[in-house]
Amino acid sequence: MDEIKFEKDDFEFAHDSNDKLIDKTYSNSSYMKDVMTHFLKNKGALFGAIVIVIIILLAIFGPYFNSHTYKSMTIEHASLTPRIPIVENLGIFNGEIKRTNREGEVIVTNQYLDKGLEDVYYWFGTDTQGRDIFTRVFEGTRISLIIAFTAVIIDIFIGMFYGVISGYFGGKVDMVMQRFAEVLNGIPTLVLVTLLSLLLPPGIWSIIFALMITGWIGMNRIARAQVLKIKEQEFILASKTLGAKNFAIMFKDILPNIFGQVIIMSMFSIPNAIFTESFLSFIGLGIPGPMASLGSLVSEGYKSLTIYPHIIGSSIIVLALLMLSFNLFADGLRDAFDPKMKQQ
Amino acid sequence: MGKYILKRIAIACATLFVILFILFVMLEFMPGSPFNDEKLNEAQKALLYAKYGLDDPFFIRFFNYAKNMLQGDFGVSYVINKNFAVSTMIFQRLAVTIVIGIQAMVLGTIVGLILGILAALKHNTWVDTLASIISVIGVSVPSYVFALGLAYFVGFKLGWFPITYNPSNAAMSTILPTIALSLFTIANIARFTRSEMIDVLSSDYILLVKSKGIKEYKMIIKHALRNALIPIITVMGPLLVGLLTGSMVIEKIFAIPGIGSLMIAAIQGNDYNVVLSVAFVYSAMYIFTMLIIDILYGVIDPRIRVAKGE
C-alpha cells in the first residue's frame, strides 16, 4: 500500500489570518443581551430613543431654564422672533425679520433693537401676547406627554384585563365581549373622542378619559391573542391539575407571560394619543388657556402663520420629532424583542 | 359564505344602531341650549321646545330620531342656518370632502405602490432606505403638519397654489390638501407593498417565471404585484376612513367648505342636529367601507371566513 504523501502547498489557510470565527448565530448569549444588541444595531430606533430622552428632559427642566413662565405676558415684547446669545453673531436667530414690501425690496428690521431691548433674549421668540415660546413649548410638551402616558397606562390595564378574561374563558363569554369591542371599534375614533370632549368640561382629565374610551380595544386584542396561544400550554394544565383557581391562573400564570408583548405594543399607542390630543386642541376642544399643550400651541400659532411663522415653527417641529421618535423607538423595540414579527 | 356575509351585515347594523344611540345620549347631555337668543322668554322657549318635539319622553324622541335618520331626514339646523334642512347642508358639502378624499386615495395608492415596488426590487440599497425613511415619516407625522408646511412654503412663499379654498378655481385649490392628506396613505401602502413584494419575489413561482425569461416589468405587474395586492386591500378600508376623518383639520387649515369644517362650526355653535348628523354620516361611511372590505377579503381569502367564524 502506497503511503499518501502530503506536499507543503497541498493545503492553504481558508483565511489570511487564522482568527477564530465567532459563531454569532448559535452563540450562547442571554435573552436581554440579544435584545440589546439587536436594538443598538437599529439606527432609527437608537435615534428615536435619544430624541425621546432629550425631549422628556427638556419637558421636565426646560420651563425653568429662564425666568419666564408659561403665562407671564409682556405686551411690549409681543411677536418677537427668536434670538439666541452667541448664535446671533452667526447671522441667524438674531431677532431680525426680513420682509418684502410692495415694490419688491427686502426690508430687514430688528424688533429687539427698535424697542430698545438689547439685553433681552427669547430663544424661540414670543407669541402675539408676549409670552416666551421656549417655556410654553416645553410646558406644552410636558402636558402632552402626561396625557399620552396616563391614557396609555389606563388603556393597558383595561385592555389587558378585558382581553385576558375574554380569551381565557372563551366560548359565549368571549363572543359577547368581543362583539361588544367590535361594535365600539366600528365607531370612528376621532368622532367619538370629539363628541366626548364636547360633553366633558375642558381639562386634562377629560381628554384622558376621551382617549381611554376607545384606546383599550387594541390592547384587548393583543392580550386576547396571546392568552389563546398560552392557555393551551402544559404549565397551565399543570396549574389546573394542582387545583389552581381560574383567577390565579389568569393573573399569576398567564399575565406575566403576556405583559412584555402588551408593553411593546403600547409604545405604538403613545404617538397615537399625542396625535389625538393635538387634534382635539386644534379643533378647539383641548386644554383651556393659558395652559398649553403641543396641539393648542400649533392651533394658536396657526392663526398668524403667514405673518409670524416662528410662533408655530417650534411647536410643530417638537410635535413632529416626538411622534417620529416614538414610532421609530416602538418599531425597534418590537423587532428586538420579537424578530418573528420583524418586517424583512 | 352566505352565512359569513349575513353575520358581517348583522354586526354592521348593530354598530349603526349603537352609534345612533350613543350619539343621541351624548347630545342629550351636551351643555348649552339650541335657543340662545336672549330675547326669548320662558313661554316662547317652551313653545319652541314643543314645536321641535324636544320635550317628548327620551325613548320616543330617540326612536323618532333613528327612524328619520335612516330615511335621510336629519332634521333642521337650529343655529348655523336657522330652519335649514341639515341633510341639504351636508349633501352640499359632501362633494368637496369626497372629491379630496378620493383624489388623495388615488394619488396615495399609486405613489405608494410605486415606492413600495421600487423599494422591494432594490432591496437593501439607497432606494430602499429612502423609501423606508419616507414611509416612517409619513406614518408618524400628522397630516396637518404637512398641511401647514405646504400651506406656508408652497402656498404662501412660492405662491404656486391658493392657500384658502377658492370656489372659482376649485381644481387648483384641492391640490395642496390632496397632497397633505395623501402622505399618510403613501407611507402605509408603500410599507405594506414593500414587505409583501419581498415575500412574493423570493417565492418559487417567481423563480420559475424568471427562468422562463419573461420581461421584468411583465413579471412584476402580472405575476408578483397581483399576489402582493391581496393583503394590501385590508389596509385600504381604514386608510380611506382615516382620510375622511383626517380631512377635518385639513379642511379647517385650507378653509375648504366640506363636512369636516361644518362639524367644527357646529361643535362651536352647539348645533345639536348638525353635530349628530355629521358624526352619523362619518360613522355610516366608516361602517360601510369596513363591511365592503370584510366581505371582499372573505371572498378572496377563505381562511379569514373561518377565523372570523362561519
Side-chain angles (χ1 to χ4, degrees):
Chain A
M1 205 157 112
D2 289 334
E3 202 174 315
I4 300 166
K5 288 209 168 163
F6 292 109
E7 297 297 322
K8 205 182 179 188
D9 51 352
D10 271 356
F11 296 97
E12 57 183 48
F13 285 119
H15 305 277
D16 286 345
S17 60
N18 48 356
D19 297 332
K20 241 195 280 172
L21 281 175
I22 298 168
D23 186 356
K24 273 190 183 143
T25 326
Y26 296 102
S27 68
N28 189 8
S29 66
S30 74
Y31 179 60
M32 278 321 284
K33 205 179 147 198
D34 255 10
V35 167
M36 277 308 284
T37 352
H38 214 107
F39 185 80
L40 293 178
K41 247 198 266 168
N42 188 337
K43 277 178 218 135
L46 205 59
F47 167 82
I50 293 169
V51 173
I52 291 171
V53 170
I54 294 174
I55 290 181
I56 288 180
L57 286 178
L58 278 169
I60 298 171
F61 302 110
Y64 310 115
F65 280 2
N66 54 34
S67 56
H68 312 288
T69 66
Y70 69 94
K71 54 183 177 183
S72 61
M73 293 187 214
T74 319
I75 291 298
E76 306 87 67
H77 293 189
S79 307
L80 295 172
T81 47
R83 187 183 185 208
I84 307 172
I86 303 165
V87 183
E88 66 176 335
N89 301 326
L90 302 173
I92 47 167
F93 296 123
N94 52 6
E96 281 175 358
I97 310 180
K98 286 193 186 114
R99 285 198 197 292
T100 321
N101 66 8
R102 284 198 189 144
E103 282 83 46
E105 297 165 52
V106 177
I107 296 167
V108 178
T109 50
N110 192 328
Q111 289 289 313
Y112 286 88
L113 304 182
D114 293 352
K115 288 182 177 169
L117 306 169
E118 276 84 2
D119 297 333
V120 179
Y121 289 94
Y122 286 104
W123 301 331
F124 286 0
T126 56
D127 65 9
T128 47
Q129 297 178 43
R131 293 176 294 198
D132 177 37
I133 295 179
F134 181 87
T135 311
R136 281 179 71 73
V137 162
F138 290 110
E139 188 75 32
T141 311
R142 183 194 289 180
I143 289 179
S144 287
L145 283 173
I146 290 175
I147 290 175
F149 275 106
T150 318
V152 169
I153 289 170
I154 297 174
D155 284 349
I156 291 176
F157 274 97
I158 300 178
M160 213 164 52
F161 280 93
Y162 196 90
V164 168
I165 290 169
S166 165
Y168 182 78
F169 287 113
K172 283 231 165 66
V173 177
D174 186 39
M175 207 200 75
V176 171
M177 287 175 89
Q178 290 310 312
R179 281 304 94 77
F180 176 73
E182 213 169 309
V183 165
L184 201 57
N185 203 30
I187 310 172
T189 313
L190 285 185
V191 169
L192 195 59
V193 170
T194 308
L195 287 169
L196 259 178
S197 351
L198 251 182
L199 196 65
L200 302 164
I204 293 183
W205 283 104
S206 304
I207 295 178
I208 292 174
F209 182 76
L211 289 175
M212 192 191 78
I213 288 288
T214 53
W216 60 271
I217 298 173
M219 301 288 170
N220 142 62
R221 215 175 284 148
I222 294 156
R224 179 174 168 270
Q226 293 291 320
V227 172
L228 289 181
K229 236 192 273 171
I230 286 176
K231 76 169 184 184
E232 304 297 336
Q233 288 183 14
E234 281 81 2
F235 74 98
I236 300 296
L237 188 66
S239 247
K240 273 185 191 159
T241 322
L242 290 170
K245 296 272 188 311
N246 282 336
F247 192 80
I249 296 177
M250 272 191 277
F251 296 110
K252 277 197 159 157
D253 296 334
I254 295 181
L255 205 61
N257 282 298
I258 65 169
F259 204 62
Q261 276 290 339
V262 174
I263 294 287
I264 292 166
M265 293 318 282
S266 73
M267 284 290 141
F268 287 98
S269 304
I270 290 177
N272 249 337
I274 295 175
F275 167 71
T276 314
E277 186 276 323
S278 71
F279 167 83
L280 283 178
S281 296
F282 196 84
I283 64 172
L285 291 171
I287 300 284
M291 281 215 289
S293 73
L294 285 175
S296 69
L297 288 169
V298 172
S299 156
E300 272 169 31
Y302 154 74
K303 288 171 196 147
S304 45
L305 173 70
T306 51
I307 314 165
Y308 298 112
H310 73 272
I311 296 178
I312 199 170
S314 38
S315 48
I316 220 160
I317 289 170
V318 172
L319 178 70
L321 262 182
L322 198 61
M323 291 196 49
L324 182 65
S325 307
F326 265 112
N327 269 301
L328 286 171
F329 177 69
D331 260 345
L333 210 61
R334 184 194 52 196
D335 291 350
F337 272 98
D338 196 352
K340 269 178 295 176
M341 287 162 84
K342 188 178 152 71
Q343 295 170 329
Q344 277 152 312
Chain B
M1 190 64 209
K3 205 178 163 195
Y4 169 79
I5 293 178
L6 275 181
K7 200 166 181 181
R8 291 285 108 192
I9 292 175
I11 288 179
C13 289
T15 315
L16 203 65
F17 190 76
V18 170
I19 285 166
L20 273 174
F21 190 73
I22 291 177
L23 293 179
F24 192 74
V25 172
M26 277 181 163
L27 287 156
E28 280 294 298
F29 293 106
M30 288 278 168
S33 149
F35 310 114
N36 288 324
D37 204 333
E38 281 174 14
K39 277 177 270 176
L40 295 172
N41 61 32
E42 288 305 314
Q44 282 170 317
K45 274 191 185 168
L47 260 172
L48 278 169
Y49 272 90
K51 185 186 165 197
Y52 288 111
L54 289 177
D55 46 9
D56 285 337
F58 182 83
F59 281 102
I60 293 180
R61 265 179 299 146
F62 172 63
F63 280 107
N64 279 335
Y65 202 88
K67 198 181 81 193
N68 290 337
M69 290 293 266
L70 294 175
Q71 288 169 346
D73 174 12
F74 296 163
V76 294
S77 159
Y78 297 129
V79 183
I80 300 180
N81 255 341
K82 272 219 168 94
N83 289 330
F84 205 76
V86 178
S87 50
T88 328
M89 284 165 74
I90 289 179
F91 288 120
Q92 277 171 353
R93 288 160 162 263
L94 199 57
V96 191
T97 304
I98 289 181
V99 164
I100 292 177
I102 289 176
Q103 279 178 357
M105 196 70 206
V106 172
L107 180 74
T109 312
I110 293 173
V111 178
L113 277 175
I114 293 173
L115 212 61
I117 293 171
L118 279 180
L121 287 177
K122 312 270 179 201
H123 190 31
N124 286 337
T125 62
W126 66 269
V127 181
D128 191 15
T129 316
L130 186 72
S132 301
I133 291 174
I134 293 176
S135 33
V136 167
I137 292 176
V139 167
S140 40
V141 179
S143 55
Y144 68 80
V145 174
F146 296 122
L148 288 168
L150 284 172
Y152 184 70
F153 291 108
V154 185
F156 177 67
K157 284 268 174 173
L158 298 173
W160 290 354
F161 302 104
I163 306 182
T164 50
Y165 188 82
N166 180 357
S168 60
N169 195 0
M172 283 294 268
S173 309
T174 59
I175 291 179
L176 287 186
T178 303
I179 296 173
L181 263 180
S182 67
L183 278 161
F184 185 68
T185 317
I186 292 177
N188 266 298
I189 300 259
R191 251 185 173 188
F192 272 86
T193 312
R194 177 180 173 273
S195 65
E196 286 304 322
M197 279 295 274
I198 288 173
D199 263 1
V200 171
L201 285 176
S202 59
S203 60
D204 291 341
Y205 65 85
I206 291 295
L207 197 66
L208 177 72
V209 169
K210 263 189 198 160
S211 59
K212 281 186 171 174
I214 211 162
K215 286 203 182 73
E216 200 183 357
Y217 76 91
K218 219 173 172 186
M219 175 197 85
I220 294 165
I221 291 172
K222 227 182 148 187
H223 299 272
L225 191 60
R226 243 193 199 180
N227 286 293
L229 274 180
I230 299 171
I232 296 172
I233 293 175
T234 34
V235 288
M236 297 280 268
L239 282 179
L240 190 68
V241 178
L243 283 182
L244 290 174
T245 44
S247 65
M248 246 198 247
V249 178
I250 305 281
E251 279 180 15
K252 192 187 168 193
I253 290 173
F254 292 102
I256 297 164
I259 56 170
S261 48
L262 179 67
M263 174 94 161
I264 294 176
I267 286 170
Q268 281 154 1
N270 277 335
D271 205 335
Y272 289 13
N273 273 352
V274 180
V275 177
L276 188 64
S277 311
V278 179
F280 177 72
V281 170
Y282 270 136
S283 312
M285 285 198 283
Y286 182 75
I287 293 167
F288 187 67
T289 33
M290 291 313 276
L291 180 68
I292 300 287
I293 297 284
D294 266 353
I295 292 175
L296 258 184
Y297 208 56
V299 172
I300 296 167
D301 193 343
R303 280 170 302 178
I304 301 289
R305 291 205 295 270
V306 180
K308 289 206 171 173
E310 191 173 39

